[in-house]
Amino acid sequence: MYGLDGIAAGRPEIVVPHRRGVHAPRGIVLHTLCDSAAAMVRVVDGLRVCGPEATLLQLAASVDSCTLERACEDARRRRLTSMPALDAYLHRFGRRGRPGTTPLRALLRQLDPIHPANSLLEVHTRRLLVAHGLHDFVREFPLSWNGRTFRFDFAFVAPRVLLETNGRRWHDDAADFERDQAKWSVPARHGYRLMFATWQTITRDPGARSEEHTSELQSPCNLVCRLLLEKK
């Protein structure tokens, strides 16, 4: 019902209170809850459905970590939920042993508490950086010039490197293109090096890089440069 990014249910799924003798009709996936309050039921398009927090917890028990992150960031971006709402839900209903609790908690520890990813490319970029040991970036880093403030996707403050995801879908509008041209000129004025992450550089198989190659990368600047420039 929420149309979360990356989620496509093959069969209808329903949630009912846990009790003996409940069987799912043919073609239906049945979930049961010991505590019906955990469903956080709301009405969407005239149907009673589980709340976004309950939905994400259920997804956490059945999808891989990348798909879960895509769905969670989409829900946050569309303001269906928020980090405080998810934390509060897990505090109340994420009991030990409940399926999905551990992966969802682990994901929330990694995500920026304020700024959700704006695109799938940002999700992949964050995951690639973390997979290579880069955790010390700032999301949506602000830089101002001539009274305008621009935000950049990933900032490595110490080496003064900015990494911006550059997906075509965000640059088809002429007004967006003009704004981007002004934005790209700002980092150099503050002494930052601006680099771009594209679909080709980010989604190319990172497993092809040898451990020896990766171990040579000593700083965030070197790692980002090698990942995004040498593979072109």
Side-chain angles (χ1 to χ4, degrees), residues 41-230:
V41 174
R42 64 175 60 184
V43 177
V44 177
D45 295 334
L47 297 176
R48 287 167 56 83
V49 300
C50 291
E53 297 80 18
T55 299
L56 288 169
L57 182 57
Q58 184 63 46
L59 286 173
S62 58
V63 301
D64 62 83
S65 61
C66 183
T67 302
L68 176 61
E69 184 169 343
R70 289 177 63 180
C72 184
E73 291 296 72
D74 183 37
R76 293 175 63 208
R77 183 170 60 249
R78 291 160 53 196
R79 299 184 179 181
L80 298 175
T81 188
S82 64
M83 194 68 78
L86 287 165
D87 284 337
Y89 181 83
L90 286 174
H91 179 74
R92 182 179 179 187
F93 298 111
R95 67 182 185 279
R96 185 174 183 179
R98 181 177 178 183
T101 298
T102 297
L104 185 55
R105 286 191 192 279
L107 174 63
L108 297 185
R109 285 195 296 268
Q110 295 183 46
L111 299 182
D112 187 287
I114 299 175
H115 304 290
N118 288 312
S119 68
L120 176 56
L121 181 55
E122 282 191 37
V123 170
H124 282 302
T125 301
R126 187 204 73 80
R127 294 177 64 85
L128 182 61
L129 292 171
V130 171
H132 284 79
L134 286 180
H135 305 270
D136 57 341
F137 49 78
V138 178
R139 297 298 305 273
E140 296 299 315
F141 186 70
L143 286 178
S144 299
W145 190 258
N146 284 341
R148 300 177 67 184
T149 297
F150 302 92
R151 291 188 176 273
F152 296 84
D153 297 329
F154 301 88
F156 297 90
V157 179
R160 304 189 77 77
V161 173
L162 300 178
L163 180 60
E164 186 78 355
T165 56
N166 193 10
R168 183 175 179 180
R169 63 174 288 197
W170 302 106
H171 303 278
D172 288 341
D173 185 87
D176 289 341
F177 178 81
E178 291 298 327
R179 184 179 185 279
D180 285 345
Q181 299 312 298
K183 178 179 180 178
W184 305 152
S185 68
V186 172
R189 302 178 187 277
H190 292 271
Y192 281 86
R193 179 178 181 179
L194 176 63
M195 304 184 65
F196 294 96
T198 66
W199 273 107
Q200 182 179 14
T201 55
I202 291 301
T203 60
R204 187 172 298 181
D205 182 13
R209 305 181 184 96
S210 68
E211 293 183 4
E212 180 181 358
H213 182 197
T214 303
S215 67
E216 295 174 356
L217 308 175
Q218 298 298 319
S219 70
C221 182
N222 287 339
L223 179 53
V224 173
C225 290
R226 297 284 284 276
L227 284 176
L228 302 181
L229 294 182
E230 287 193 353

